[in-house]
Amino acid sequence: MHKYLGIDVGTTGLKGLVVSEEGELLDSYSYELDMKVPKPAWAEQEPEDWWIGVYEILKKVSRTHQIDVIGFSGQMHSLVVLDENNEPIRPAILWCDQRTTPQCKEATEAFGGEEKVISKIGNPFLEGFTFPKILWLKENEKENFKKIKKILLPKDYVVFKLTGTIGIDYSDASGTACFNVKTNYWDEEILETFGINMDIMPELYPSYGIRGEVKESLQKELGWKNTKVVSGGADNASAAFGIGISKAGESMVSIGTSGTVLTLTDKKEPDLSGKIHYFNSVIQDKYYYMGVMLSAAHSLNWVKNRFFHSSDWTEIEKRINQSVPGSNGIIFLPYLNGERTPHRDPNARGVFFGISSLNTENDILRATMEGITFGLRDSFELIKEKTEIKDMRIVGGGAKNKSWAKIVATNFKMPVKMPKIDEGGAYGAAMLAAVGDGQQLEDVLKWVKFKEIIEPNYQDIKIYDDYYEAYKNLYKSLKGNFEELAKIQK
Ligand SMILES: Nc1ncnc2c1ncn2[C@@H]1O[C@H](COP(=O)(O)OP(=O)(O)O)[C@@H](O)[C@H]1O
Ligand SMILES: O=C(CO)[C@@H](O)[C@H](O)COP(=O)(O)O
């Protein structure tokens, strides 16, 4: 029996899954990672730490399993810079790092405005994306910039350490903000306009294309034979593939630390308003629209840890059911660390609005979940304007709470399906490995099964519609106040 290893190179940790050639989950491994915050709003990690963690996982896996193909999924957008000896020049600058606001502004202006940028690269220049980080290095770390021979994304660095080959797959390339969505190649004009040498961009590969064998010395050490590696994909694209999303209209809502809503599409048509992202999927000629909330389950954790630290998740679910839809008048804005979709506002902050002396702590808790759901609904509504949403699959830690999944289904006014295996990008990465091993894409997609379908609560639709309108209006009213607060805090 062939076995596959799917590894997700996440921000808070690594996850490794050993999967049989029929898709059965055989074993699971994890490794925690630290994130450095050298200055407020900065976020960095040492590429070597990802490699140390992956190496640890490989050693543990090898005690029980011979692996035939390894696949990767990885945090998107984070920049790794290599020198002429293929050594990292400095720590990686991560997707959640916000230092590049001036570079994004300058680049958008120099390039003739946001619409032109979006029509080429599918997205605006956003703080989190890779290209503005290269520009930041050019302006702020001139010596480091001069040393750059290649740039990579996190999972690609690990693939390099494993195989010695340098490259990137299309799904991660499309998140760099210098990849042209029309030509499916690096955008020469953008690179040239900003004086970035095309040679530093890695070669492009399909996500399930074999990139090479694990280095001989390492295979020997692990006791493996003929272990191959595929390029892998961006974490969101891999996670979607891992729950069987392969046709236009199939969609995912993920309630993890951050929150995402994405829908697969055949359209070569980015969102020119720049509110939702447009990236290549791990499947050739398929793309996806995606909205990203920065603090989804993170907001709930904040409330739980500060005010309900003695409650476990079962009690949290009980408590929200002791309140009512609409949380007896409380609205929560889940913008603890600013927001990406739909506002693109780093100054936005969390708000509990409408508290009266009749409210209980359970109303606060329910309002938190409802506010996060409204944030996801913002992305859902924007995607619906671009394309048809045919089905919805729900994943992430928050989806373990069925009452919350019901609130999501009611707000989206459609059933949400719970996959049997909900392991994020790592399972999708193992599926990519299986395709790289020669299995048919359609057969691998059949691995995905669902354990439950949650229907909307039709009687609550009207009340959620009303509160959702109030939620949207609240941000509009407070936008100026958030700016004022940010100025005072500076
Ligand atoms: N039963 C639950 N009910 C609500 N939220 C939960 C529950 N279990 C976990 N969570 C939330 O999900 C989060 C983890 O989400 P997950 O998708 O596993 O990870 P991450 O996005 O951090 O990689 C936890 O931090 C917690 O806030
Ligand atoms: O920036 C994005 C997508 O645009 C994030 O979704 C990162 O890709 C998240 O990485 P993890 O939190 O899963 O490590």
Side-chain angles (χ1 to χ4, degrees), residues 431-446:
M431 287 169 65
L432 291 172
V435 180
D437 197 32
Q439 294 207 41
Q440 292 304 309
L441 189 80
E442 298 70 32
D443 293 337
V444 172
L445 284 163
K446 284 185 198 140

Side-chain angles (χ1 to χ4, degrees), residues 15 26 48 79 136 142 164 174 179 182 196 255 277 287 320 330 382 402 440 452 472:
K15 188 191 269 181
L26 301 176
E48 204 50 30
L79 172 71
W136 184 90
K142 293 188 173 59
S174 66
F179 175 86
K182 287 180 191 144
I196 306 298
I255 316 178
H277 304 327
Y287 309 87
I320 67 149
I330 303 179
L382 285 166
K402 277 200 207 161
Q440 292 304 309
E452 203 170 339
K472 287 194 290 184

Side-chain angles (χ1 to χ4, degrees), residues 7-207:
I7 298 183
D8 178 54
V9 184
T11 318
T12 52
L14 306 169
K15 188 191 269 181
L17 301 178
V18 178
V19 174
S20 78
E21 65 185 10
E22 269 127 29
E24 190 193 348
L25 199 54
L26 301 176
D27 260 318
S28 166
Y29 305 81
S30 58
Y31 182 93
E32 272 185 33
L33 291 167
D34 285 332
M35 189 179 83
K36 286 185 285 181
V37 182
K39 286 189 185 181
W42 287 26
E44 298 186 346
Q45 272 174 338
E46 292 293 344
E48 204 50 30
D49 290 346
W50 302 323
W51 171 238
I52 291 169
V54 168
Y55 179 66
E56 284 301 311
I57 289 180
L58 294 180
K59 278 199 300 193
K60 282 189 188 152
V61 172
S62 69
R63 284 182 210 140
T64 325
H65 307 280
Q66 144 76 32
I67 297 297
D68 294 284
V69 186
I70 306 176
F72 284 93
S73 135
Q75 41 172 298
M76 298 172 69
H77 320 300
S78 308
L79 172 71
V80 180
V81 279
L82 299 184
D83 67 13
E84 58 187 356
N85 301 313
N86 293 327
E87 294 293 336
I89 296 167
R90 69 177 318 289
I93 308 179
L94 303 195
W95 62 278
C96 44
D97 186 294
Q98 300 286 322
R99 76 182 74 176
T100 65
T101 303
Q103 286 72 34
C104 291
K105 263 196 188 144
E106 281 163 32
T108 309
E109 276 163 28
F111 216 74
E114 198 157 279
E115 260 201 43
K116 183 162 179 218
V117 173
I118 298 172
S119 68
K120 282 168 84 63
I121 59 169
N123 296 285
F125 289 121
L126 293 186
E127 278 79 357
F129 293 173
T130 322
F131 189 66
K133 300 181 198 310
I134 304 177
L135 298 183
W136 184 90
L137 282 180
K138 189 174 175 222
E139 280 173 38
N140 296 281
E141 293 185 1
K142 293 188 173 59
E143 284 312 306
N144 281 340
F145 178 77
K146 273 193 221 148
K147 288 188 212 155
I148 302 177
K149 275 283 168 297
K150 276 288 173 225
I151 70 130
L152 288 180
L153 263 61
K155 69 160 196 339
D156 308 315
Y157 178 72
V158 178
V159 172
F160 163 67
K161 295 292 278 185
L162 266 183
T163 64
T165 67
I166 290 198
I168 190 172
D169 82 300
Y170 289 95
S171 68
D172 252 343
S174 66
T176 57
C178 54
F179 175 86
N180 188 310
V181 287
K182 287 180 191 144
T183 61
N184 241 5
Y185 195 66
W186 302 115
D187 191 290
E188 279 175 44
E189 196 185 348
I190 286 191
L191 294 171
E192 230 175 83
T193 306
F194 300 108
I196 306 298
N197 189 342
M198 173 70 91
D199 292 347
I200 72 166
M201 304 315 291
E203 206 169 313
L204 294 153
Y205 293 90
S207 305

